[in-house]
Amino acid sequence: QVYDGVAMVSNGYAIPGTGSIADISFLNQLLPDASLPNNVLAPWWTDLDLDGTSGTDPGGGAWYAATLDDGIHLYNVLEWKNAELYGDPDSVYSFQIWIRANTDLIWFTYGRVEGANIFGTIGAEDSSGAVGDTWYYDGAGTTPVVGDDLQVSAAGETAVFSYQVTADLPASDLFNEVTAASSLGT
């Protein structure tokens, strides 16, 4: 399926296209699931508090989107940086979705993944909610750790990411350094 855009949801997932954007939810699901939302790319779907609207908890973190060019390929990158778990500012997550333009290649990369949160989904599904997979769901499976890459889809290709989100590298530096250094390769 070809999409002209992707909706980035503050709660740690993205939806290619616009079909189920009105049905976004902080309540994560085991994937695949025919219930909306569908067409989900979930590097860490959980109840995050980026905007600081949870009463006395100011929330924290930021989210970014960028298109990077390594001189060969274009990548659409969505990043959740130091995103706090709703009501638990000690649980902080940094992760990204890398989508290589005009291909079916998608990667989830992880930097800071801390705290005691056991609820969340890591996985992906198609637009019908009938095809997909879950790598982690509410305590079952393997949680990502700093430096992990999770390759969602591939057509016989892989990518080497010289720069990933880390606890010490701001997103603006990541985007500038990757673009300037052309550090991505196949």
Side-chain angles (χ1 to χ4, degrees):
Q1 181 69 39
V2 176
Y3 298 99
D4 291 332
V6 62
M8 185 177 182
V9 179
S10 62
N11 288 309
Y13 67 99
I15 301 173
T18 57
S20 59
I21 292 174
D23 301 302
I24 62 174
S25 176
F26 68 91
L27 297 172
N28 62 300
Q29 303 168 355
L30 184 65
L31 300 175
D33 188 327
S35 302
L36 297 176
N38 292 129
N39 215 24
V40 171
L41 298 172
W44 193 249
W45 180 2
T46 192
D47 192 5
L48 298 173
D49 187 14
L50 292 173
D51 63 5
T53 59
S54 63
T56 59
D57 176 12
W63 45 341
Y64 305 93
T67 299
L68 304 178
D69 181 351
D70 68 359
I72 301 170
H73 304 286
L74 287 177
Y75 295 86
N76 296 301
V77 181
L78 307 175
E79 177 178 19
W80 293 259
K81 173 87 172 147
N82 295 326
E84 290 182 7
L85 182 65
Y86 184 87
D88 183 3
D90 294 328
S91 294
V92 177
Y93 306 94
S94 292
F95 50 91
Q96 301 173 329
I97 300 174
W98 286 71
I99 303 169
R100 186 185 292 172
N102 302 313
T103 73
D104 65 350
L105 301 174
I106 302 167
W107 295 267
F108 298 163
T109 64
Y110 299 90
R112 180 180 293 165
V113 181
E114 303 171 347
N117 177 38
I118 61 168
F119 296 101
T121 299
I122 299 170
E125 71 176 8
D126 72 350
S127 60
S128 71
V131 177
D133 199 3
T134 296
W135 293 274
Y136 178 87
Y137 177 73
D138 290 350
T142 304
T143 57
V145 296
V146 171
D148 274 359
D149 272 354
L150 178 59
Q151 187 170 332
V152 176
S153 175
E157 295 186 55
T158 59
V160 176
F161 296 98
S162 298
Y163 292 93
Q164 294 179 336
V165 173
T166 68
D168 302 315
L169 186 62
S172 58
D173 291 347
L174 172 74
F175 293 147
N176 291 339
E177 288 188 37
V178 170
T179 303
S182 297
S183 62
L184 301 176
T186 56

